[in-house]
Amino acid sequence: SSELTQDPAVSVALGQTVRITCQGDILRIYYASWYQQKPGQAPVLVIYGKNYRPSGIPDRLSGSNSGNTASLTIAGAQAEDEAVYYCNSRDSSGNHYVFGTGTKVTVL
Amino acid sequence: QMQLVESGGGVVQPGGSLRVSCVGSGFMLSTYAVHWVRQAPGKGLEGVAVISYTGSDKYYADSVKGRFTISRDNYKNTVYLQMNSLRVEDTAVYYCARDEYDSSGYYVDVWGQGTTVTVSS
């Protein structure tokens, strides 16, 4: 199966740590990457591969992978981290991307 | 600065056609595979179509197969998505996205700002 499942929503207090997970059998084959999307904006790549951040992404965002689960951790959450986060991976054909259902992160 | 810029969105009646374009700048688009990803209002992201850097390989989501055609003109640094037999459920923001592949795996590192397609009578 190429489906990726995420929790719909999570909240975190300002300065605290939150972990978002992404589950799918395809993650046993391909690494997940993570995208942040704020209202009215295009997605932005925040984590890819084992745990790499593009230039400009703060190091309070980190990723990890284990079995069929990928995780994105925000350590010391800031107000600007409030967004929807999507995971994605290649699908079983290896040609397309499949996206997770998205997790809305609210910073309290 | 690396950029992708989409254009061509608009309002079209069910059964109609539309072609959206994606122009790359700040890098050689001709050396990358490109995806079209759409997002219906209030919904998540869906991969629609992908084209290899040469244009020789094309793949489509089942939801658009036989109705949408992806193509590219590497001399113009442009990728197209021709959408025929449009349905109300095709209403979405359409993003083009640059496909990257290295030792870290596959990921999209550059996204366009999106172009809105509305299918309505």
Side-chain angles (χ1 to χ4, degrees):
Chain A
S1 171
S2 297
E3 294 180 349
L4 296 176
T5 302
Q6 300 180 241
D7 290 331
V10 64
S11 60
V12 58
L14 187 68
Q16 296 303 301
T17 297
V18 63
R19 187 172 75 173
I20 307 163
T21 60
C22 172
Q23 287 191 303
D25 289 339
I26 199 66
L27 299 181
R28 297 184 187 278
I29 301 173
Y30 297 107
Y31 283 120
S33 48
W34 291 91
Y35 305 86
Q36 177 192 73
Q37 188 179 35
K38 297 182 179 180
Q41 298 183 19
V44 173
L45 176 69
V46 294
I47 294 288
Y48 63 98
K50 286 185 179 180
N51 181 21
Y52 299 107
R53 285 183 306 278
S55 173
I57 302 302
D59 61 5
R60 62 178 179 272
L61 274 68
S62 63
S64 61
N65 302 272
S66 178
N68 72 337
T69 301
S71 301
L72 173 69
T73 299
I74 307 174
Q78 302 298 304
E80 58 264 33
D81 298 327
E82 189 163 287
V84 178
Y85 291 83
Y86 293 93
C87 61
N88 92 334
S89 168
R90 266 327 209 235
D91 71 2
S92 56
S93 74
N95 297 316
H96 287 283
Y97 281 115
V98 58
F99 289 89
T101 47
T103 298
K104 180 174 172 55
V105 173
T106 301
V107 180
L108 304 173
Chain B
Q1 182 183 1
M2 296 180 293
Q3 278 192 95
L4 294 169
V5 179
E6 303 95 334
S7 62
V11 181
V12 61
Q13 291 188 338
S17 298
L18 203 62
R19 188 179 80 161
V20 292
S21 303
C22 167
V23 178
S25 62
F27 67 101
M28 290 186 65
L29 188 64
S30 59
T31 61
Y32 291 89
V34 173
H35 295 256
W36 283 99
V37 177
R38 69 183 179 184
Q39 187 170 37
K43 302 297 185 182
L45 300 168
E46 177 191 18
V48 171
V50 54
I51 187 167
S52 63
Y53 72 98
T54 61
S56 60
D57 297 306
K58 305 172 187 180
Y59 302 96
Y60 300 92
D62 289 343
S63 56
V64 306
K65 203 170 293 183
R67 300 186 298 123
F68 289 12
T69 302
I70 191 171
S71 62
R72 68 189 303 158
D73 183 339
N74 283 340
Y75 293 105
K76 295 183 178 179
N77 240 22
T78 302
V79 174
Y80 306 97
L81 185 68
Q82 176 68 44
M83 301 180 286
N84 298 332
S85 302
L86 281 161
R87 305 168 180 168
V88 171
E89 55 264 34
D90 294 319
T91 295
V93 176
Y94 284 75
Y95 297 102
C96 65
R98 188 178 86 168
D99 193 27
E100 179 62 271
Y101 173 69
D102 58 22
S103 58
S104 306
Y106 293 95
Y107 52 96
V108 171
D109 62 344
V110 181
W111 294 76
Q113 86 288 350
T115 188
T116 301
V117 173
T118 302
V119 185
S120 173
S121 54

